[in-house]
Amino acid sequence: MEVKAQVHNISKLKDYHFLVPDYQREYVWKADDQVDQFLADIATEFEPGAREQSSYFIGSIIIVKNGGKYDVIDGQQRLTTTVLAMCALRDLLKGQTMDARQAQYFQSVDSWLSSFDIETNEVQVRLELQYEESKGFLLQLIQGQAWTGDKTASIERMHEAYARIKEYLAQYLDGGPQGLTEYARYFLTKIDLVVIESENLSSALKIFETINQRGAGLNAMALGEAEARHLG
């Protein structure tokens, strides 16, 4: 079984385009629980104005190559929350008057979220949610579009998470864009995670069962269905 595990900061995830397959459960993190904890944990390490910053480790994700993209087998909750945070950073920064250096941070965040693929003539977003409960909400948020469709429970939680993160990050704008660009730099360069790339779905599921024993992840039936769909 060939497994490749690498520690990446958030900026290095720009080398990937992720898919959350339709057999995965929906987004379940709550704004006043896991999302608040996510922000609080980062805050314990981030020191505004400090020349040297401590890194913060947010865990791991398990992925399998699927064409030119990567299926996310485990870690979609933290990965989705990371994308929501990047959307909030972009949306707060784009309304600011920035100097040339600060504008580079805005461009880094914006280009991280999506890029144009000249081969396919399409915009490629960093994370695509394929399960039915998402209904394209994250895609529109990444593209800077307001959601006008119906809200599933998953969309409601993503919307609340985004709003909570945006409200929290707005405090760094009290003195202008400098504080928020400093936070953006920390978020991109000092938040680390382990990206575990498996050779196929079968081995990825074995890794999943071995290292992810907490929470209500994919159950046995879903695991079998996932493998059947991937192979089929």
Side-chain angles (χ1 to χ4, degrees), residues 82-93:
T82 297
V83 172
L84 293 172
M86 292 290 280
C87 287
L89 279 168
R90 178 204 58 195
D91 294 344
L92 287 168
L93 285 171

Side-chain angles (χ1 to χ4, degrees), residues 61-164:
I61 61 173
I62 303 172
I63 60 175
V64 176
K65 193 169 181 60
N66 180 358
K69 300 183 180 182
Y70 291 86
D71 286 345
V72 180
I73 306 305
D74 186 40
Q76 74 113 332
Q77 303 294 324
R78 63 180 63 91
L79 189 56
T80 301
T81 304
T82 297
V83 172
L84 293 172
M86 292 290 280
C87 287
L89 279 168
R90 178 204 58 195
D91 294 344
L92 287 168
L93 285 171
K94 71 181 177 183
Q96 301 298 307
T97 300
M98 296 176 281
D99 61 28
R101 184 184 59 80
Q102 292 165 349
Q104 288 297 321
Y105 284 104
F106 169 76
Q107 290 298 328
S108 294
V109 172
D110 191 44
S111 62
W112 186 96
L113 283 165
S114 63
S115 58
F116 183 74
D117 188 333
I118 59 175
E119 290 189 6
T120 63
N121 198 36
E122 295 178 348
V123 172
Q124 301 285 342
V125 296
R126 189 64 48 215
L127 176 65
E128 179 184 340
L129 307 181
Q130 296 185 319
Y131 52 84
E132 176 63 21
E133 292 83 354
S134 69
K135 294 187 181 295
F137 172 81
L138 188 63
L139 174 63
Q140 289 196 227
L141 185 64
I142 290 173
Q143 295 178 329
Q145 302 170 4
W147 179 253
T148 57
D150 296 333
K151 285 188 177 180
T152 64
S154 181
I155 290 174
E156 188 67 40
R157 284 188 288 268
M158 283 190 282
H159 177 76
E160 290 174 356
Y162 166 78
R164 176 69 185 94

Side-chain angles (χ1 to χ4, degrees), residues 1-71:
M1 180 171 65
E2 183 179 348
V3 177
K4 190 164 58 174
Q6 300 181 75
V7 177
H8 288 314
N9 60 30
I10 298 300
S11 69
K12 293 299 184 182
L13 298 186
K14 195 174 180 179
D15 296 336
Y16 303 86
H17 288 93
F18 299 104
L19 298 170
V20 175
D22 59 4
Y23 53 76
Q24 290 276 21
R25 63 174 177 163
E26 71 277 8
Y27 186 72
V28 298
W29 277 17
K30 296 179 180 179
D32 60 357
D33 188 356
Q34 294 94 342
V35 175
D36 269 349
Q37 190 62 57
F38 178 84
L39 295 170
D41 288 345
I42 295 172
T44 63
E45 301 297 338
F46 173 58
E47 298 182 38
R51 297 187 65 179
E52 296 294 331
Q53 299 276 3
S54 299
S55 296
Y56 172 58
F57 177 66
I58 62 170
S60 63
I61 61 173
I62 303 172
I63 60 175
V64 176
K65 193 169 181 60
N66 180 358
K69 300 183 180 182
Y70 291 86
D71 286 345

